[in-house]
Every structure is written in C-alpha cells, then in structure tokens.
Amino acid sequence: MVLRLSVLHPLETMLLDRHEIDSALISSSVQLVNLQLSGWKRAYSPNTEELLAMAIALEQVAGTLELKPQEVCRMGHWYNPINRTERVNYPVDGWLPSVSTILDATQPHDRRVAFKRAALRKPFEAAQRKERTSERGTTIHEWISAYLNRSYLPELPLKMQPYSNIIKPYLDTTLGIATEFESERVVYHQFFAGTIDLVQVVNGRYFLLDFKTKDKPILSDSLHDAYLQLSGYYEAFNYETGLDVDALIVVVIYPTHIKLHSIEPQQYLEHWQNRRAYYA
C-alpha cells in the first residue's frame, strides 16, 4: 500500500510506504528534519510551523499504516542491559526502552495528533514552552539528586530558585524520617528499564517517588501518565528485588508549594502492563 501525502506549506508531496519508512527524526530545537526513505536522505531547514506540520503528517501516516509503536517512536531513551551505566537517546538492537519511551510510543493516536495540532496554532510559543519545561525539569532533578546525596549543589538560574526553595524543607523531612534512601535508582526489567527519582525506606516500608515541576496546576492526563510511569518503575523494582512497595508518590513542585499525589502499587499496574505489551 502506498499513500500520497500532501504536507502543509512548502514541504513537498511525498510517497510513503510502510516498508519504506526507516525513521523520522524531528527536532524543533535544531530546526532540522532528516527523513530517511529506503536509504534516501534529504535534509530541510524549515521553520517551527513546518516542523510541526511534518510531525502531524508523519503521525497520520503512521496511524493509517498501523505501524507498531516502536516504529512510530524513534526518540526516547534506551538502556544497555550489560553495562547498566550506559544510556542513549536512540534505539539500539538488544537495548531496553525506558518506561517513558514506551508510554510515549503507545499514546492514543488521536491524543498525539491533537497535541501537535494544538501546538501548530502557536508553533513558536509551543517550541519555546517545551524547551523551557524540559530545561527546568532536568535542572531541578539534578539539584534534588545533589541535595539528597549531600554533594556539590549546582547553581540554579534565578527563575528556578523558587522550586528549590519550596522542595528543600520536604527533602529535609524525607532525609530525617528515612531509614534508607536511594536517588536516581536505575531498575531493569526483562523488557524495559527506567530511573526512579527516589526510593525511600521508612521502617522497612518502601516508597517510590517521582518529582515533577509545574508552573500551572497539573492536568489529569499528565497525572495519569505519571501514575503509569511510576507503575512501570514499580514493576521493574519488584522484578529486580522481589520487594513490595507501600505507595507510589508523585511529588509536584510548584513555585509556591508542593502537592503529593499517591496511589497503591497495584492501582495502575495492569494498565501499564497493557501499554508495554502493546509496545512489544
């Protein structure tokens, strides 16, 4: 089956075949699209709006051709099952996809396309917001890990300091009541891997925590995804250790306060397992 696809704006009409799609790498940060079709490679330098148009077009093709999730998602994180300190952001044969990579690849098609269409309405703002959110999340996570491990604290930009000021008392309490803890714990399952922000042990009871930074109230879809992510971590943690966990906790850090969202480990486990089974 071959589809003729007219892409928005000046991007050319292309013939796309299920067996011709090798990979599509889309990056709004470098403003470059590399589309590989049967070894043929062509590079564009479109603007952000054209990038998002290409993203929507590729999603539509993927949905029409019923590609497998791992064929749709070529971006994410993959873990080396032999050298467990090694992780890359592109697929490697024999390496394990991360929990978040599986969740991203198995998003409902309609939701993924709707998100990109919403971004297309204000493309530059959407690209800037995504970059800003990613930078903030990575920076605060690194700061939290350094603070918990009493190592050198990276200097935060002024705009991120409210997040560290708010989370610091909570971390102090965590350190005070925990009989044992481990930050940035990498866990491996037979089919996937992931990094838990914090494993906390209080009098023999285990808790898995994931930190999220937000400048607006967290949406129900985002909270749902966070529960699924923690459920994946729980499955891998239990697979490795055989230990039960009392609760999975999403710690949402706002500039003015924090909010905890807690679920039981089994609450979303089946839903997560369905998603990873679909990915496979």
Side-chain angles (χ1 to χ4, degrees), residues 15 20 27 37 54 62 67 70 124 157 159 183 206 214 218 239 258 274:
L15 287 174
E20 288 178 335
S27 172
L37 302 177
M54 174 67 89
L67 298 180
Q70 57 266 45
F124 294 103
K159 61 184 178 182
S183 65
Y206 284 81
K214 298 288 181 181
I218 189 169
Y239 179 84
I258 65 169
N274 290 338

Side-chain angles (χ1 to χ4, degrees), residues 54-88:
M54 174 67 89
I56 291 172
L58 289 169
E59 292 290 354
Q60 291 171 332
V61 171
T64 305
L65 296 179
E66 297 181 352
L67 298 180
K68 294 179 181 179
Q70 57 266 45
E71 294 177 292
V72 175
C73 184
R74 290 293 199 168
M75 302 180 74
H77 294 103
W78 281 261
Y79 289 76
N80 187 338
I82 306 301
N83 179 1
R84 295 193 169 197
T85 62
E86 195 171 3
R87 187 181 76 169
V88 295

Side-chain angles (χ1 to χ4, degrees), residues 251-266:
V251 183
V252 186
I253 312 167
Y254 298 98
T256 58
H257 65 287
I258 65 169
K259 189 168 183 179
L260 307 185
H261 302 268
S262 177
I263 60 169
E264 295 180 357
Q266 301 293 330

Side-chain angles (χ1 to χ4, degrees), residues 119-133:
L120 185 56
R121 296 189 189 101
K122 293 184 177 181
F124 294 103
E125 291 88 339
Q128 290 172 352
R129 182 169 59 251
K130 182 177 180 180
E131 184 176 356
R132 186 168 59 247
T133 301

Side-chain angles (χ1 to χ4, degrees), residues 84 96 185 187-192 232-244 276:
R84 295 193 169 197
L96 300 174
R185 166 71 182 267
V187 287
Y188 277 77
H189 186 273
Q190 182 181 359
F191 304 116
F192 63 92
Y233 295 157
Y234 162 68
E235 185 179 26
F237 181 80
N238 179 261
Y239 179 84
E240 275 197 339
T241 66
L243 295 170
D244 288 326
R276 73 162 172 80

Side-chain angles (χ1 to χ4, degrees), residues 143-152 175 181-184:
W143 187 93
I144 289 173
S145 180
Y147 189 83
L148 287 171
N149 291 297
R150 300 305 194 198
S151 58
Y152 174 76
L175 292 171
F181 74 90
E182 185 177 0
S183 65
E184 301 295 314

Side-chain angles (χ1 to χ4, degrees), residues 64-214:
T64 305
L65 296 179
E66 297 181 352
L67 298 180
K68 294 179 181 179
Q70 57 266 45
E71 294 177 292
V72 175
C73 184
R74 290 293 199 168
M75 302 180 74
H77 294 103
W78 281 261
Y79 289 76
N80 187 338
I82 306 301
N83 179 1
R84 295 193 169 197
T85 62
E86 195 171 3
R87 187 181 76 169
V88 295
N89 59 358
Y90 50 86
V92 178
D93 288 343
W95 288 33
L96 300 174
S98 69
V99 171
S100 56
T101 298
I102 292 174
L103 290 174
D104 183 59
T106 57
Q107 279 190 69
H109 174 69
D110 291 346
R111 179 181 170 188
R112 198 193 327 261
V113 172
F115 176 79
K116 287 187 171 65
R117 288 196 180 280
L120 185 56
R121 296 189 189 101
K122 293 184 177 181
F124 294 103
E125 291 88 339
Q128 290 172 352
R129 182 169 59 251
K130 182 177 180 180
E131 184 176 356
R132 186 168 59 247
T133 301
S134 176
E135 179 189 8
R136 182 184 67 209
T138 300
T139 303
I140 295 300
H141 272 79
E142 291 174 351
W143 187 93
I144 289 173
S145 180
Y147 189 83
L148 287 171
N149 291 297
R150 300 305 194 198
S151 58
Y152 174 76
L153 288 177
E155 185 175 348
L156 292 176
L158 188 62
K159 61 184 178 182
M160 297 186 192
Q161 291 178 13
Y163 294 95
S164 63
N165 293 337
I166 285 296
I167 194 62
K168 191 183 298 183
Y170 176 79
L171 296 177
D172 288 337
T173 301
T174 297
L175 292 171
I177 66 174
T179 50
E180 185 181 347
F181 74 90
E182 185 177 0
S183 65
E184 301 295 314
R185 166 71 182 267
V186 179
V187 287
Y188 277 77
H189 186 273
Q190 182 181 359
F191 304 116
F192 63 92
T195 303
I196 307 172
D197 286 347
L198 180 63
V199 178
Q200 181 186 20
V201 186
V202 181
N203 298 324
R205 301 168 61 198
Y206 284 81
F207 302 87
L208 306 186
L209 286 74
D210 191 62
F211 297 102
K212 304 291 184 187
T213 59
K214 298 288 181 181

